[in-house]
Amino acid sequence: MEIRKPNDSEYKKILSLTPRALLDGTLGEAKLSDEKVKQLIEPLLQKGSCYLIATEGDHLMGWILIGARQDPLTEKIYGLIYELFVLEEFRGKGIARKLIETGIEHLKHDGYSEIRLSVYAGNQAIKLYEKLGFKNRTITMSMNI
């Protein structure tokens, strides 16, 4: 397995798969169009965020999108994992863990002392994040009315 930045055709494939990734990651809540995905992702990339992909041969197995964000209350800048996705046929092989570890190394190398991510309650990835040392920092609560 190789983890690296994507080329143009791999980037286009990621964008085409991102609506499915977001649907899975939000447990079916986020049903976004290709155009909406582009509107969300392109500004992140323009501000220095980047994808890292896991591949084997010509097969894209998954990706992580990492970058930075500023806390609106403290103004502290921290590393952020925006997105993590492993295609279904490649799950259970440690790819997500390797992508996160590589993403953390990139963010650490860029000088960030803290890394955050958001995850939907009930998402199975929470177990992996906890094993890697992530802890609850804030909890967003909602109520249907």
Side-chain angles (χ1 to χ4, degrees):
M1 174 175 44
E2 180 183 17
I3 297 183
R4 59 177 171 75
K5 292 185 178 180
N7 62 34
D8 286 343
S9 66
E10 291 163 333
Y11 169 69
K12 288 176 184 168
K13 183 165 186 168
I14 291 168
L15 280 185
S16 74
L17 294 170
T18 294
R20 177 62 195 194
L22 293 174
L23 188 66
D24 286 0
T26 61
L27 308 178
E29 283 201 29
K31 296 175 182 161
L32 303 180
S33 68
D34 291 349
E35 189 56 39
K36 182 64 176 175
V37 165
K38 254 181 129 176
Q39 290 173 1
L40 292 171
I41 300 297
E42 285 183 350
L44 297 176
L45 297 175
Q46 290 168 358
K47 292 179 183 174
S49 295
C50 72
Y51 281 106
L52 298 173
I53 61 170
T55 61
E56 192 141 307
D58 291 339
H59 299 289
L60 173 66
M61 299 186 297
W63 65 84
I64 189 169
L65 176 58
I66 57 173
R69 185 171 280 174
Q70 185 173 27
D71 187 299
L73 300 176
T74 66
E75 297 186 5
K76 178 182 178 179
I77 297 175
Y78 56 90
L80 185 65
I81 296 173
Y82 285 97
E83 183 181 358
L84 172 71
F85 186 69
V86 175
L87 281 79
E88 197 167 339
E89 62 266 31
F90 299 108
R91 293 180 187 166
K93 299 177 185 207
I95 296 166
R97 173 183 284 275
K98 190 69 177 155
L99 282 165
I100 293 170
E101 289 171 346
T102 304
I104 289 169
E105 284 306 311
H106 273 73
L107 292 167
K108 208 186 288 188
H109 181 264
D110 288 344
Y112 300 103
S113 60
E114 180 184 8
I115 299 170
R116 299 181 190 176
L117 58 82
S118 293
V119 61
Y120 266 64
N123 187 318
Q124 291 182 356
I126 292 171
K127 293 174 191 156
L128 173 61
Y129 301 144
E130 289 173 340
K131 284 180 188 174
L132 290 168
F134 287 89
K135 298 185 180 350
N136 286 344
R137 186 175 187 287
T138 62
I139 296 174
T140 301
M141 300 174 74
S142 69
M143 177 178 75
N144 292 330
I145 56 171

